[in-house]
Amino acid sequence: MDRYRVKPDSRVDLGEWDPNDKSAFPEGKSEGRKRLLELNQRLEELQELLYAEHKHRVLIVLQAMDTGGKDGTIRHVFEGVNPQGVRVASFKKPTPEELGHDFLWRVHEQVPGKGEMVIFNRSHYEDVLVVRVHNLVPKEVWSKRYEHINGFERLLAEEGTTILKFFLYIDLDEQKERLQARLDEPHKRWKFNPEDLKERKLWPKYVKAYEDAISKTSTSWAPWYIVPANRKWYRNLVVGTVIIEALEDLNMRYPEPEFDPTDIKIE
Ligand code: AMP
Ligand code: MG
């Protein structure tokens, strides 16, 4: 999955990334679906181990343009995982109370504790994305945030948190189809937000904001992955595989009992 990881200090030009790429799993959709079922099972085992060992923390950040597939990724990649061990934190427009604090205040509260896996559906990155595109704070303020983000994530990492950040990359044509589907299919209409059409017009500004954010904050301790996301099955496989590989690298073990089980007799 290295091909999708953004090397620290590199300059991202999204024009050079292909949202249709499927080079890591060229077998196609039906094989891909089978593979996802295997991934779901493996993730379930690893999550249980994470919980049992109670040592590591895992933070997964999902960012995307509107309709990019954050919700679908959560639904499909984490299917089968015990809901007791995984939590989703969704970041919406900040409340007045949240706006009264620094931008990381509401985020820090949601980070995983030991044995826990937390998925950020949007994140502190909105504070250098939507906030920048809409000039919600002056440039002097948002431009300093990249460094604050790197410091914050470094703190989490040094205290034992594995951080994986995914940008689900779709293109404008794919977004058009997905927005149209939200209008055409009655069960998807609740997701349609007329505001999304205004955001769509700002696409080039978002691209620039994403390029900057990813370039400045892909670090050895909290790497970004740019996930080709025009094909949903492929996106799920990439995200699932990156997470599983990272969990396997933790070399987790079930805790040793503090008693000798062969000594214990249950009457
Ligand atoms: P959704 O994820 O579709 O439910 O939409 C959530 C909305 O909240 C999006 O339009 C985000 O851009 C917005 N949002 C999230 N975080 C922030 C933030 N820090 N400042 C402003 N808007 C935000
Ligand atoms: Mg939305």
Side-chain angles (χ1 to χ4, degrees):
M1 292 291 98
D2 268 4
R3 72 188 81 190
Y4 301 126
R5 186 196 296 128
V6 177
K7 315 274 171 299
D9 301 317
S10 58
R11 185 65 227 161
V12 171
D13 171 356
L14 284 174
E16 292 170 359
W17 294 72
D18 177 9
N20 284 306
D21 180 47
K22 51 172 185 158
S23 57
F25 305 103
E27 304 90 333
K29 184 169 173 174
S30 57
E31 269 310 301
R33 288 237 164 110
K34 278 186 220 152
R35 215 149 155 171
L36 186 65
L37 293 179
E38 292 162 21
L39 285 186
N40 287 150
Q41 275 190 7
R42 183 70 187 128
L43 190 58
E44 188 187 353
E45 290 162 11
L46 287 162
Q47 184 276 322
E48 177 163 307
L49 194 47
L50 178 82
Y51 186 80
E53 195 187 37
H54 200 72
K55 179 175 170 190
H56 301 280
R57 312 165 165 109
V58 178
L59 174 60
I60 294 158
V61 172
L62 293 182
Q63 284 289 158
M65 304 280 200
D66 291 320
T67 75
K70 300 187 301 298
D71 298 324
T73 302
I74 295 171
R75 223 171 31 245
H76 294 290
V77 173
F78 295 90
E79 198 169 310
V81 169
N82 181 349
Q84 292 211 87
V86 180
R87 183 160 55 82
V88 179
S90 295
F91 293 93
K92 308 281 182 189
K93 259 176 85 164
T95 63
E97 190 191 17
E98 288 167 348
L99 282 175
H101 292 80
D102 69 85
F103 78 106
L104 291 171
W105 182 73
R106 67 172 181 165
V107 178
H108 207 161
E109 194 187 13
Q110 297 291 344
V111 303
K114 280 184 181 169
E116 208 184 6
M117 194 185 287
V118 172
I119 305 159
F120 279 4
N121 182 346
R122 302 188 191 268
S123 65
H124 43 302
Y125 284 94
E126 292 295 327
D127 293 284
V128 289
L129 294 166
V130 64
V131 167
R132 167 176 169 169
V133 169
H134 288 279
N135 299 308
L136 300 180
V137 301
K139 182 171 184 185
E140 304 89 81
V141 176
W142 62 253
S143 60
K144 294 199 181 95
R145 288 181 172 172
Y146 304 102
E147 233 179 286
H148 292 307
I149 288 173
N150 286 338
F152 170 63
E153 292 177 349
R154 183 164 199 145
L155 161 74
L156 299 180
E158 288 183 354
E159 298 265 331
T161 306
T162 298
I163 305 172
L164 302 167
K165 304 183 293 198
F166 298 97
F167 172 51
L168 311 178
Y169 182 38
I170 59 167
D171 60 23
L172 258 176
D173 289 343
E174 182 65 24
Q175 188 189 53
K176 185 175 183 191
E177 277 185 32
R178 293 185 188 187
L179 286 171
Q180 191 61 50
R182 288 182 180 184
L183 289 173
D184 296 345
E185 296 171 36
H187 69 280
K188 287 189 178 169
R189 253 169 232 158
W190 66 276
K191 278 199 157 195
F192 187 84
N193 177 356
E195 292 288 310
D196 291 350
L197 300 181
K198 288 192 204 144
E199 296 303 281
R200 179 172 163 79
K201 293 214 174 82
L202 297 169
W203 186 279
K205 290 195 168 165
Y206 274 104
V207 166
K208 181 89 187 47
Y210 266 108
E211 287 175 340
D212 266 0
I214 296 171
S215 305
K216 290 177 200 281
T217 65
S218 198
T219 54
S220 57
W221 59 89
W224 272 106
Y225 290 83
I226 299 178
V227 181
N230 274 1
R231 290 183 177 83
K232 295 171 184 173
W233 65 269
Y234 191 79
R235 166 201 82 198
N236 294 339
L237 280 183
V238 171
V239 173
T241 304
V242 170
I243 295 171
I244 285 171
E245 287 180 358
L247 291 174
E248 281 175 343
D249 283 349
L250 295 175
N251 290 315
M252 298 182 286
R253 297 275 173 270
Y254 281 103
E256 288 296 327
E258 285 162 19
F259 47 84
D260 180 353
T262 60
D263 258 7
I264 297 180
K265 205 160 161 204
I266 302 175
E267 302 292 341

